[in-house]
Amino acid sequence: MDEVDFENEGNFEVIVGNDGENGENGDGDELDPTEERETEQDEHLKFECCYSTAISSVAGNSSSSGDKHYDITHGSYVASKNEIFYHTFMLNNVGEENQFDLIGGNDNEGDTSGPSKTEDLEIRMDLTDDLLHMVFSFLDHLNLCRAAIVCRQWRSASAHEDFWRCLNFENRNISVEQFEDMCRRYPNATEVNVSGTPAIQLLVMKAVYSLRNLEVLSLGKGVLGEVFFHSLADCHVLRRLNVNDATLGNGIQEISVNHDRLRHLQLTKCRMMRISIRCPQLETLSLKRSTMAQAALNCPLLHELDIGACHKLSDAAIRSAAISCTQLESLDMSNCSCVSDETLREIAGHCGNLRALDASYCPNISLESVSLPMLTVLKLDNCEGITSASMAAIALSTMLEVLELDNCGLLTSVSLELPRLQNIRLVHCRKFVELNLRSIVLSSIMVSNCPLLQRINLTSSSLQKLSLQKQESLNQLALQCQSLQEVDLTDCESLTNSICDVFNDGGGCPMLKSLILANCESLTAVQFSSTSLTSLSLDGCRAITSLDLNCPNLEKVSLDGCDHLERAEFFPVGLRSLNLGICPKLNVLGIEAPNMELLELKGCGVLSEASINCPLLTSLDASFCSQLKDDCLSATTASCSKIVSLILMSCPSVGSDGLYSLSSLQHLTVLDLSYTFLTNLQPVYDSCVKLKVLKLQACKYLNDSSLEPLYKEGALPALEELDLSYGTLCQSAIEELLSCCTHLTHVSLNGCVNMHDLIWDCSTGTSVTSTMLSLEIEGPEAVELPNRLLQNLNCVGCQSIKKVHIPPAARCCHLSSLNLSLSYYLKEVDLACLNLCFLNLSNCNSLEVLKLDCPRLTSLFLQNCNIDEAAVEVAISKCSMLETLDVRFCPKICAMSMGRLRGACLSLKRIFSSLSHA
C-alpha cells in the first residue's frame, strides 16, 4: 500500500511501495526493465504536488474543512489551522495507463490476474465523466484530495483545472521550483495567495509572468521591491491585489501602483515612505494602518477609501487624497488624529456622493459648518470635540440611517429629527443628560452607561425593543412608539410612579407586551391599565406598597423582593398562576382572573381582606395566613368552586363556619389543616365527601373521638392518605383507625407520643398492643377482613414503640414502604410483607431482633443500630432481591463482616459502611 509523507511540510515527498512480488506492479502487470530504470532515474521528477487550502472568502467558495489536515495513509483528520492538503499527480511523460498504478491507487491489491482494470472500467461505466465532474464541482479541496485516492477515474476527475482555480499557499514553506510546477500544471488559475511564504518576491513574479488569467493576488509578510509594482502592468486581467504586513520598496523611494484594470487594492499594515496610485478603474482602496506620509491618488472611479490608523498622514495629505476622488461614497479616516473640520468641509464640497463616514477617534473635529447631506452612516466614537452644538450639522444629514456617538465625553444632549435614522448608539457618554429623537423608521437604540442621563423622548413607528438598563439618573421618559413591544428599565433607580402613565393605554405604546422595571427602587405606587401587556417584572422594587393592575391579557407577573407591598388589586388579569407568598406585609388582596389555576398566598401572615374571583382556580395555598377568617374563606370557596387542593396549614382563624363552606367545592380532594386549633372534624366529614388526602399534622386539640366517623361510620370513603403526625390522639384511636380503615394507602404517624407497639393480630388482622394479644377472636364469630390497601406507613420518631409485628395474616400485601427511623426504644421487628421494598430502621439504637420475610425488599437502612451482624445476616438471607444495605455507624458490625453479608444475600449491589465502602 502506498504512503504519503506529510511530516515535513517544507520537503514534500511521495513514497510509493510495490505490493506485487517478482517485479510485478500494483495491478499485477510486470514492469519492463527499461521502464524500471526510467522510474529510478527520474524518481525526483515522477510527481508534482497540487497544493490547496480552503478557499478564502475572496474567491467566493465555501470550505468547511479548511482548518483540518487529512492523513491519507490512515484515513483520519488531524486538526491544523490552514493546513495544506496534498494531491499527487503524474508528470506528462508518464503514460496514462500507469498513472493510477504508480500512485498506489490499485483497485484490487495483490490480485495479479488483471480484474482491476475490468473493475475500473465498470466504475467508469457506472458514472460518466460529465456527471462525475458535476458532482465534484460541489466538493472543497479537502474532499477532492480524498476522492483522488479512490480510483483512476476519480483521480483524473478531481485534478481538473476547474476545481483548482485558487492556489493558496499562505504561511507555507514552498520552494520556487514547487511553485513553478504548480503554475505549469494549472496555467489558468485565477487566484494565488503566497502570504507568509519564503522568497515571496520570486514567487509572486513567477505568478505574474506564468498565470495570464490571474485575477486575485494576495501576498505579504515580506519585502516587495519596485520591480514587482512595475511588473503588475503585465498582469492584464488582475482585478484585486491584497498586500498585508509587507515592506514596500527600500523605505525611501516612492512606490507607484499603475494598472489600467485593477478594481480593488488593499495595502494594509505596509511600511513605505510615499505612494502614488494611478488606477483608472479602481473602486476600493484600503491603506489601513500603513506608514506612508503622503498618498497621491489618481483614481477617478474610486468610491471606497480606508485610511484608518494611518498616523503619519498629515491633515493636508488626507485632504488632498480624499478630494481627488470625487466619486467617493465611503471614507474611513478613524484614528487619524490630525483631521480637522476644514478637511471635512473640503471633502463635503468635493465628494457630493459621500454616504458613509467613519471619523472615530478624531479629537479635533466638531463638525462646525460641515454639511454632508447624502450621509447614511456616520461614526463619531471617541471624538472629544463632538458636543451638543455638533447636532446642528448632523441634523443637515437628512438621509442618515446609522449614527454612533460612543464615548463622546463632552456631549450633553442630542436632539434630532431625522426621517431615515434607523440605528443610534450612545454608550459611555459621561456628561450626557437629554435625548430627543424623532424618526419614524428608528428600529434600534443603544443607550448604556450614561450616568447623568435624565430625560428621554422618543418618537418612532418602527422601534420594537428598548433597553435602558442601569440609567440611574433617568427620571423622565416619553415614548410615542407605535410598534414598541419590549422595554427593559432594569436598575433605573430614579424612575417615579409617573412612569406608569407612559405604558398605560393611551400612553404612546399601544403594542407593549413585556415591561421590566426590576430594581426601580423609587417606585411606591404602581398602577397599570393596559390591554396589550402580557409580562411584567417588578423584582426588587422594595418601596412599592400599592399595586393596581388592570391588564386583561397579563399572563406573567414577578414580584420577588416586593417586601413592603401592602395592597394588591388584580382587576382583571389573564394570569394562570400567581405567587404572593413573597410579600409578607400584604394586607388587602383583590383578584379577578378568569384563567387562573394556581394561587399561592403562603406566608402572607397579615392578610385579612381577600376577594378572590377565579372560576378556574384548582389550587390555593394559604399556609401561614394567620389572619384569614371564615368569611373570607367562605367568599373564596363560593367564587372558586373548582378548587381541588386547599392548603390551610397554620391558619388558626379558620373555624367550623369556614370549613362548612367547603361543601361548595365539589372537586376538593386535598385538604391540609395542619397546625390549626380544630377540636373536631365533623365539618370536614360533612363537607368534603370526595376527599382523598387529609393532613392533620400537630392538630393537638383534636379529641380522641374525632376520628370515630372514619372507622365506625365510614366517613370520607374516598380517603387514601391521612397524616396524623405529631398529634396527641390516644393509642386506641390509632389502633381502630389502622384496623378498620383498610382503604387507606398512605398513613403518617410520625412523632405520635401515644403510639405504642404495632402488632397485627394473627387471626383477625387487627392492630393491637402486646397486652391485647390474648383477646384474639376465635370460633365461628371470627370475621376474615379484606386485604389492606396500605402502601406507605411512616412512624418516624415514635419513642414508645418497642415491637413491630406484621405477619402474613395481617393481609398487608400492598405495603411497599415502612419507615420506623428514630424510634429509639424499638427492640424487635418481625415482618412478613410480600411487596415491601423499602425499610428504614436507622437510629433505632435498641434494635436487637430483626426477622424479615420480604422477598421483594430492595433497600434496608440500619444506620446507627445496635444490632449484631449475625442477626442482620439471618434477616437478609430471605430477601432475595435486596440491592442496598446501609450499616453505617453500627458498632456491632465490623469491616470484616461485609463479605459474610454479601454471601448471605447474593443480590446485594451496594453496602454502605462507615468502616469501608463496598
Side-chain angles (χ1 to χ4, degrees), residues 742 744-747 760 788-793 814-816:
T742 57
L744 293 177
T745 61
H746 294 70
V747 176
W760 264 282
R788 301 174 187 273
L789 299 181
L790 188 63
Q791 299 176 15
N792 294 77
L793 178 60
H814 296 285
L815 186 64
S816 61

Side-chain angles (χ1 to χ4, degrees), residues 9 12 51-58 66-67 80-86 166-174 179 191-198 200 203 218-221 242 244-245 266:
E9 295 179 359
F12 307 119
Y51 316 93
S52 68
T53 62
I55 303 301
S56 65
S57 60
V58 176
D67 289 336
S80 176
K81 185 177 181 181
N82 291 327
E83 195 70 31
I84 291 184
F85 309 112
Y86 309 95
C166 172
L167 306 179
N168 192 334
F169 304 99
E170 185 176 2
N171 297 323
R172 296 297 141 197
N173 188 20
I174 184 173
F179 185 76
E191 180 177 350
V192 170
N193 187 341
V194 291
S195 297
T197 59
I200 182 175
L203 294 184
S218 300
L219 57 153
K221 298 181 181 179
N242 303 321
N244 180 59
D245 194 13
Q266 180 176 311

Side-chain angles (χ1 to χ4, degrees), residues 648-650 659 670-682 684-685 691 693-703 706-708 710 716 719 721-729 737 748-750 752:
L648 298 173
M649 182 174 66
S650 293
L659 294 179
V670 178
L671 178 61
D672 190 346
L673 297 172
S674 301
Y675 295 90
T676 57
F677 299 153
L678 297 176
T679 57
N680 70 82
L681 298 173
Q682 194 59 44
V684 176
Y685 299 143
L691 206 61
V693 178
L694 177 59
K695 296 186 178 181
L696 300 168
Q697 289 188 35
C699 292
K700 298 182 178 181
Y701 294 94
L702 284 176
N703 54 55
S706 58
L707 295 181
E708 287 185 1
L710 283 178
L716 304 181
L719 191 66
E721 182 176 342
L722 179 61
D723 192 343
L724 297 171
S725 300
Y726 312 108
T728 58
L729 292 175
L737 177 73
S748 294
L749 300 167
N750 303 325
C752 289

Side-chain angles (χ1 to χ4, degrees), residues 151-185:
C151 65
R152 185 185 302 111
Q153 182 194 15
W154 284 32
R155 175 190 172 279
S156 177
S158 65
H160 197 282
E161 64 177 1
D162 287 351
F163 309 138
W164 301 93
R165 298 290 186 182
C166 172
L167 306 179
N168 192 334
F169 304 99
E170 185 176 2
N171 297 323
R172 296 297 141 197
N173 188 20
I174 184 173
S175 67
V176 176
E177 292 77 11
Q178 291 168 339
F179 185 76
E180 286 180 332
D181 289 343
M182 282 298 304
C183 294
R184 184 172 64 255
R185 180 74 184 185

Side-chain angles (χ1 to χ4, degrees), residues 705-763:
S705 62
S706 58
L707 295 181
E708 287 185 1
L710 283 178
Y711 53 81
K712 288 185 177 181
E713 302 172 10
L716 304 181
L719 191 66
E720 297 177 355
E721 182 176 342
L722 179 61
D723 192 343
L724 297 171
S725 300
Y726 312 108
T728 58
L729 292 175
C730 65
Q731 173 70 15
S732 61
I734 296 175
E735 290 172 355
E736 293 289 349
L737 177 73
L738 294 176
S739 299
C740 300
C741 296
T742 57
H743 57 289
L744 293 177
T745 61
H746 294 70
V747 176
S748 294
L749 300 167
N750 303 325
C752 289
V753 294
N754 294 324
M755 181 68 184
H756 298 291
D757 293 357
L758 181 63
I759 302 175
W760 264 282
D761 178 72
C762 297
S763 61

Side-chain angles (χ1 to χ4, degrees), residues 190-255:
T190 60
E191 180 177 350
V192 170
N193 187 341
V194 291
S195 297
T197 59
I200 182 175
Q201 179 150 325
L202 292 176
L203 294 184
V204 76
M205 295 302 295
K206 293 292 181 183
V208 168
Y209 291 122
S210 302
L211 305 176
R212 293 301 177 181
N213 295 319
L214 188 61
E215 298 180 1
V216 180
L217 179 59
S218 300
L219 57 153
K221 298 181 181 179
V223 178
L224 296 175
E226 186 179 9
V227 63
F228 162 70
F229 292 98
H230 285 309
S231 66
L232 287 178
D234 297 328
C235 198
H236 301 289
V237 298
L238 189 66
R239 296 291 183 270
R240 182 184 295 272
L241 175 62
N242 303 321
V243 182
N244 180 59
D245 194 13
T247 299
L248 309 185
N250 56 15
I252 301 177
Q253 67 193 105
E254 178 179 88
I255 296 299

